[in-house]
Amino acid sequence: FSTAIAITEQPVSVSIPVGYSFTLRCRAKGHTCLQYQWFCQHQSVCRQIPGATKEDLPITAEQTQLYTCRINDLYKNAVFSDWVKVEVHHCVARGLTPRLWQGEPVIVLNPTEQRVEVGKPLQLQCAAMGVPAPTYQWYRNGNLLEHQKKKKLWITHAKVSDSGTYLCCASNSHGEHWTNAVDIHIGSVTLPPAEHLQLCHLVFLLATGKIALLVGNNRYQHHPNLMAPITDVFELSFLLEQLGFQVVSLLD
């Protein structure tokens, strides 16, 4: 009886605003009466949903979760539907009226312009709502990027040839929606004019006396901004100047 139950309609993943109400559907056929039981999983914890014993599961979106449905027959055969994701967005695009929304793709996160050093990773990100959940396709300079079909575009080691104008298309059965186009610059990192002049001044001072080079970094890409480094640089500059040092200070 391994094929006694056949799922004829799988549930589908959706990407929706918080508070939005919709229904997950699952349909199956078998040789006897069938029983349904829905399960959900959030942060690796899977649980049975009390009272969710029908083909349809009404949901009011509160948090992103995974769902599946188990179908049993009277012979104790059981099959599970596909796992589907209900992605919930708390930041909803301006102008979206949930009552009028028919499930067409709506962009809620656009990629941002970046400057990346050669050899460093490049990551672009977008997100869209949709019922069913949209699929994604990235483009560079109007050309389809064959393997970039996720919300996040990831290039491990950026090359100069990766420079260009990027955008992403989110689409489902109701239509498609495009993100903003953003310019991505890949190349060697050049110092701003002010820092360049300070370093030239430092080279000149190397031949004339005692030198102190102070660097205060308080802005980090993957760490909360710090407060103390700038203050420390100013205090150390004052002390070192009293000791006869020529001081060059660079911030961030």
Side-chain angles (χ1 to χ4, degrees), residues 145-189:
L145 298 173
E146 185 66 34
H147 302 295
Q148 301 292 354
K149 298 177 180 292
K150 298 181 179 180
K151 286 188 293 184
K152 291 183 179 180
L153 177 148
W154 177 260
I155 297 175
T156 307
H157 303 289
K159 306 183 296 294
V160 173
S161 59
D162 292 321
S163 297
T165 301
Y166 286 75
L167 48 71
C168 186
C169 178
S171 60
N172 65 11
S173 55
H174 297 289
E176 62 184 32
H177 202 160
W178 297 75
T179 66
N180 294 341
V182 294
D183 292 328
I184 304 301
H185 307 276
I186 313 294
S188 58
V189 176

Side-chain angles (χ1 to χ4, degrees), residues 10 18 31 81 128 143 159 168 176 182 218 236:
Q10 294 278 4
V18 65
H31 301 309
S81 73
N143 298 314
K159 306 183 296 294
C168 186
E176 62 184 32
V182 294
N218 75 321
L236 284 171

Side-chain angles (χ1 to χ4, degrees), residues 1-100:
F1 288 104
S2 60
T3 58
I5 303 171
I7 296 178
T8 58
E9 181 180 349
Q10 294 278 4
V12 297
S13 296
V14 297
S15 184
I16 53 180
V18 65
Y20 186 79
S21 296
F22 74 104
T23 300
L24 284 177
R25 293 167 50 90
C26 183
R27 298 289 187 273
K29 62 182 180 179
H31 301 309
T32 71
C33 294
L34 299 178
Q35 298 173 329
Y36 292 78
Q37 176 62 60
W38 288 88
F39 296 80
C40 67
Q41 178 177 319
H42 178 63
Q43 295 180 344
S44 301
V45 177
C46 183
R47 65 180 180 86
Q48 180 174 302
I49 304 173
T53 56
K54 297 183 178 180
E55 298 170 319
D56 293 342
L57 177 65
I59 292 177
T60 298
E62 295 179 358
Q63 61 184 357
T64 297
Q65 295 190 118
L66 301 175
Y67 292 84
T68 188
C69 185
R70 184 188 66 204
I71 304 102
N72 296 80
D73 65 11
L74 298 182
Y75 295 113
K76 296 185 179 180
N77 295 307
V79 296
F80 281 85
S81 73
D82 296 339
W83 281 96
V84 295
K85 185 176 184 179
V86 175
E87 185 178 34
V88 178
H89 296 274
H90 292 271
C91 297
V92 179
R94 290 181 181 177
L96 177 66
T97 305
R99 289 174 301 158
L100 302 178

